[in-house]
Amino acid sequence: MSFLRIEALWAIPLIVVPLIIHWLHRRRHPTMQWPAMMFLYQATKMRRGPAKLRRWIVLAIRVASVALIVLALARPLSQGVFGMAAGRIADTGTTVVLIDRSTGMQRRDAFGRSRQQRGLETVAETLRTLGVQTPVVIDSVDTQPIELASLESFNDGTLLKSADAPASIETMLASALDYLQEHESTLSDVWIVSDHASSSWNLQSSRWESIARQADSLGDGLRIHRFSFPQSSDQVNASVRLADLRWSSENLNRETSPQTGATLLFSVVVMEDQNLNAVLATGSKERTIPVDITVGTTTRTFDVTLRGGVGTLDNVPVDVNRQDDLYGSVSIPTDSNPADDQWYFTLSPPLQPSIGIISTQPCDALIAMGEVLGRVAFDQAGGAGQGTLKTQDGSTERGDLPLDGIDCLWWQGPLPTGNAAEKLESFSSSGGNIVFFPPMQPDPKLQFQGTRWNEWVTLDPEETSYLGVKFIIESVCSVAGQAITECSTADGTNWLAQRQSDRGTTWFCGANVADHQSLFVRQGLGLFSVLAATVEQSDAASIRLHDYQAGHETAKQLRDLNASIKAVMSSDEETASRRGYHRGVYVVGEHEGKRHYIAINRSDVTTTRLSDEQIEAVLPGDYVNVISIGASTTRPTSGAARELWGGLWFALIVGLLAEGWLSLSSRPTARTSGDDRT
């Protein structure tokens, strides 16, 4: 048991006061021998036992009453979870509360209360009981200490709101320990309002070692209190995410002008928790969930069948107007965690991709294909940084890799090195697609992304095919390295390969496009099939470029844009500086009357539930207290410690009533006339 006023326990010796009074009272009535009372003494001897027992009970009640009064003044707590007297927190200690606002903490119980809300209510009630009025708060969005003016600030909308950015417990804990060291706190309590989500704890982080050293410097005065939220066995939670979004291949015909209608292909993944009670309740391991796909103001619903907790929609077609501002969401019905029931997206209309061409000598074949498959932004003969750069408007200028606004880059010549290679690496990682064609004299020492050209191989004209298109090839430059083979000759020579980067794709095509008389160029079918595949990849990449993950990095990018930010579809209304932490569709600036849309979503990393042992292994300090909050209860959230005022005073009143009743003198029994002696 712990006490808020442990100094009151110094009054415990007062329990001897009733004993002293009893002893003094006995001294006031000395015993004197009187022969006439001898017979009366013998008559009452048989009644002395019960009377003596009564006196001892009365004395014990008086002693207990004094002890109860002292304990009540000491303000005992119902749980001894804080070790020594908890009053140390209110008098000299510092209290820091870490708040996890991530997606997992928004899971609700049967009565609609989120884990975040229940945890904060428990902390606030406990601190109110302990007498703490100005705690320090660190939440997963700001990760900086904020001193609250009062406990009522826990009801502030910001602390109760959710965030779609993953939490970082190690970052918040390190910030808390820095604050305690800066203020030289010898007695401190750190509350961690979080669940067991692996994405929040990040056990592999190297910061846990430095956190342990910080905790050691604070000594034995540091105590950590964390929460445990048992998962309800009868609640099922499902989540949805957009796995892929692309234009239908029918939209890639660039020979005609854009039509009004277009088709989007959606691939959606729905996952749910698996537990025995839910399966028994449905009577089957399969269940169907409706998925709403909203584009602009139009919504279509598809049924997804979940088997083993997973269901998918693969390349579901949705017709849209390509002139519209294309943004929308994929959603499922609200369940126990509404924070993972929606996924937002935005994309550009299927306009012709912008293509840049760089070659060691003029390649009319590449220019012609570029005009068929897209829009040639520039063609530069003579290699990167050499020769004349011809722009779309017909003007000429000298330049070096003008890649802004380019979707695809077709490169014929030696593989890039130095500054050019760095720029192309950045272009590929940001979503751009590159197609390399070999020079007439390849250098095996040069490589890009771990791939290089070997020597030219002359073949007897042979028929080959790619993506169902048959064509003749007579000479190839073999590809070697880390790229994945896409097409090879009959003798196994790899002449077409690709390598994926973070967002873009790099292709290596070993066909001869510099020789206008080669069969590969004259027929054109093979060249068209290869370049059309790169254009289709660029369309998919342009969609992904508008998708961001909620978190610190996205928030920083939005701040650096220095543009007006307006929410179009959003899960929450926040200030512009915090919109990078919340899912939704946003307008981030306007150029020449055209709005720029981006979509922000939660992380799609699969999260597992950590065990208590895994968490205890990284938490610093010798004292870690776990507070378990049940999955379902109808009573209001109470603190982790409650005072025993009611019980103590009730026991005291009962004791005083019993003492008064026992102290009453017994009334003599009336004798009947039949008992008279004559």
Side-chain angles (χ1 to χ4, degrees):
M1 180 180 293
S2 52
F3 303 89
L4 290 179
R5 294 178 179 173
I6 194 172
E7 62 274 8
L9 296 180
W10 287 102
I12 281 292
L14 293 178
I15 63 175
V16 302
V17 171
L19 297 175
I20 296 174
I21 294 175
H22 177 76
W23 180 74
L24 292 176
H25 182 72
R26 300 245 332 158
R27 294 273 297 176
R28 290 176 57 192
H29 300 82
T31 303
M32 298 180 62
Q33 299 295 331
W34 184 25
M37 296 297 295
M38 183 183 305
F39 298 103
L40 294 176
Y41 176 77
Q42 292 179 354
T44 59
K45 189 175 182 180
M46 300 298 298
R47 299 175 58 189
R48 291 185 58 188
K52 190 174 184 179
L53 177 62
R54 176 182 296 185
R55 288 195 300 270
W56 282 112
I57 293 176
V58 170
L59 180 61
I61 291 176
R62 291 170 178 169
V63 172
S65 298
V66 175
L68 288 174
I69 293 174
V70 173
L71 291 176
L73 293 176
R75 299 178 63 184
L77 300 175
S78 61
Q79 298 179 11
V81 297
F82 304 104
M84 297 174 60
R88 69 185 183 89
I89 304 175
D91 294 338
T92 59
T94 303
T95 299
V96 183
V97 182
L98 312 184
I99 304 175
D100 180 354
R101 296 170 55 191
S102 63
T103 301
M105 288 296 290
Q106 309 317 311
R107 183 154 187 162
R108 305 180 185 277
D109 59 14
F111 308 98
R113 298 170 298 184
S114 68
R115 292 175 175 176
Q116 179 179 337
Q117 177 185 351
R118 299 179 71 190
L120 287 179
E121 289 177 352
T122 300
V123 171
E125 186 63 28
T126 303
L127 297 185
R128 187 174 289 109
T129 301
L130 300 178
V132 179
Q133 296 298 325
T134 57
V136 177
V137 167
I138 301 175
D139 75 276
S140 58
V141 172
D142 294 324
T143 66
Q144 296 299 321
I146 300 175
E147 298 182 4
L148 298 185
S150 67
L151 293 179
E152 301 304 322
S153 300
F154 277 112
N155 298 323
D156 179 77
T158 301
L159 297 180
L160 290 176
K161 286 183 178 179
S162 64
D164 296 290
S168 176
I169 300 297
E170 72 276 14
T171 300
M172 291 191 291
L173 187 55
S175 179
L177 297 180
D178 288 339
Y179 177 88
L180 296 175
Q181 287 180 326
E182 180 181 350
H183 290 76
E184 299 180 353
S185 299
T186 56
L187 297 175
S188 52
D189 284 74
V190 177
W191 293 76
I192 303 178
V193 184
S194 182
D195 55 7
H196 292 70
S198 59
S199 59
S200 297
W201 288 90
N202 192 16
L203 300 183
Q204 306 304 320
S205 173
S206 59
R207 299 194 68 172
W208 289 110
E209 297 180 1
S210 61
I211 288 174
R213 291 192 293 268
Q214 284 181 287
D216 290 340
S217 66
L218 293 173
D220 297 333
L222 173 65
R223 303 180 189 277
I224 296 178
H225 315 283
R226 69 175 183 85
F227 285 85
S228 176
F229 297 91
Q231 184 171 325
S232 175
S233 60
D234 57 356
Q235 283 187 289
V236 177
N237 179 65
S239 62
V240 65
R241 66 179 177 88
L242 185 61
D244 191 23
L245 175 61
R246 63 178 64 245
W247 293 106
S248 171
S249 59
E250 298 176 357
N251 300 314
L252 298 178
N253 184 4
R254 311 300 178 181
E255 296 179 354
T256 60
S257 60
Q259 301 176 359
T260 302
T263 302
L264 283 171
L265 301 179
F266 287 82
S267 295
V268 180
V269 177
V270 179
M271 301 182 66
E272 72 172 1
D273 299 334
Q274 289 289 289
N275 59 72
L276 180 60
N277 286 2
V279 172
L280 294 177
T282 58
S284 172
K285 293 185 178 180
E286 296 184 4
R287 74 183 188 106
T288 300
I289 293 181
V291 175
D292 292 337
I293 298 179
T294 301
V295 181
T297 59
T298 304
T299 300
R300 291 191 60 185
T301 302
F302 302 87
D303 289 335
V304 177
T305 300
L306 276 65
R307 297 179 177 88
V310 180
T312 60
L313 291 176
D314 297 320
N315 293 325
V316 174
V318 175
D319 295 331
V320 299
N321 189 334
R322 70 169 61 187
Q323 302 301 324
D324 289 343
D325 294 325
L326 297 179
Y327 58 83
S329 65
V330 178
S331 61
I332 58 177
T334 302
D335 51 21
S336 60
N337 191 346
D340 57 13
D341 294 338
Q342 209 164 23
W343 192 278
Y344 294 94
F345 64 87
T346 181
L347 63 153
S348 302
L351 302 177
Q352 294 180 330
S354 181
I355 300 171
I357 301 174
I358 294 178
S359 59
T360 55
Q361 59 191 57
C363 288
D364 295 337
L366 293 181
I367 297 174
M369 288 296 175
E371 293 174 347
V372 170
L373 295 172
R375 178 180 61 88
V376 179
F378 67 85
D379 65 276
Q380 179 174 320
Q386 303 176 14
T388 301
L389 175 67
K390 297 181 180 180
T391 59
Q392 184 186 16
D393 59 7
S395 62
T396 61
E397 60 182 34
R398 299 181 65 85
D400 183 19
L401 297 180
L403 299 179
D404 292 340
I406 300 299
D407 298 309
C408 295
L409 178 65
W410 298 346
W411 178 292
Q412 187 274 325
L415 294 177
T417 58
N419 185 50
E422 293 179 2
K423 289 188 175 181
L424 291 189
E425 287 279 7
S426 176
F427 174 72
S428 176
S429 63
S430 64
N433 289 334
I434 307 172
V435 184
F436 287 111
F437 295 96
M440 297 306 298
Q441 296 181 348
D443 185 354
K445 297 180 180 179
L446 299 180
Q447 63 177 3
F448 183 81
Q449 293 183 351
T451 306
R452 67 182 186 278
W453 298 116
N454 281 337
E455 297 180 353
W456 283 94
V457 177
T458 302
L459 307 170
D460 293 332
E462 66 175 66
E463 185 179 70
T464 185
S465 65
Y466 180 64
L467 297 179
V469 178
K470 295 182 179 181
F471 50 91
I472 302 296
I473 195 166
E474 56 188 351
S475 64
V476 296
C477 184
S478 60
V479 181
Q482 301 178 7
I484 300 175
T485 301
E486 290 287 322
C487 193
S488 58
T489 62
D491 62 359
T493 301
N494 175 22
W495 68 274
L496 180 62
Q498 67 163 300
R499 179 175 173 80
Q500 295 282 346
S501 62
D502 292 340
R503 290 189 172 186
T505 305
T506 301
W507 297 75
F508 297 84
C509 179
N512 188 356
V513 296
D515 184 2
H516 299 172
Q517 301 301 318
S518 67
L519 292 176
F520 186 76
V521 171
R522 282 189 297 164
Q523 290 185 345
L525 293 177
L527 182 59
F528 177 84
S529 64
V530 171
L531 295 180
T534 67
V535 169
E536 182 176 0
Q537 288 285 343
S538 70
D539 279 346
S542 66
I543 291 175
R544 291 194 297 270
L545 281 174
H546 301 287
D547 190 10
Y548 293 83
Q549 177 181 319
H552 300 297
E553 185 63 29
T554 298
K556 181 179 182 300
Q557 292 180 18
L558 293 182
R559 289 193 297 268
D560 293 342
L561 286 176
N562 195 25
S564 60
I565 302 175
K566 181 180 179 181
V568 180
M569 302 175 69
S570 178
S571 62
D572 201 354
E573 288 295 331
E574 281 280 7
T575 60
S577 62
R578 293 194 174 189
R579 284 201 176 119
Y581 300 97
H582 298 271
R583 66 188 185 278
V585 176
Y586 301 91
V587 177
V588 289
E590 195 170 332
H591 180 65
E592 296 181 354
K594 184 178 180 180
R595 294 180 173 182
H596 179 56
Y597 294 90
I598 65 168
I600 300 177
N601 290 288
R602 69 184 188 277
S603 171
D604 59 356
V605 176
T606 302
T607 298
T608 58
R609 178 182 171 85
L610 299 176
S611 65
D612 289 333
E613 291 75 15
Q614 290 176 300
I615 296 177
E616 298 297 331
V618 297
L619 282 178
D622 298 328
Y623 186 94
V624 177
N625 170 52
V626 180
I627 302 169
S628 180
I629 297 182
S632 60
T633 176
T634 58
R635 64 182 178 85
T637 303
S638 59
R642 295 184 296 276
E643 294 190 62
L644 296 175
W645 285 94
L648 291 177
W649 290 117
F650 178 78
L652 179 59
I653 293 172
V654 171
L656 293 177
L657 291 175
E659 189 267 346
W661 179 74
L662 292 174
S663 298
L664 292 176
S665 59
S666 59
R667 180 177 300 176
T669 304
R671 297 176 62 187
T672 61
S673 58
D675 292 333
D676 293 340
R677 302 293 183 183
T678 57

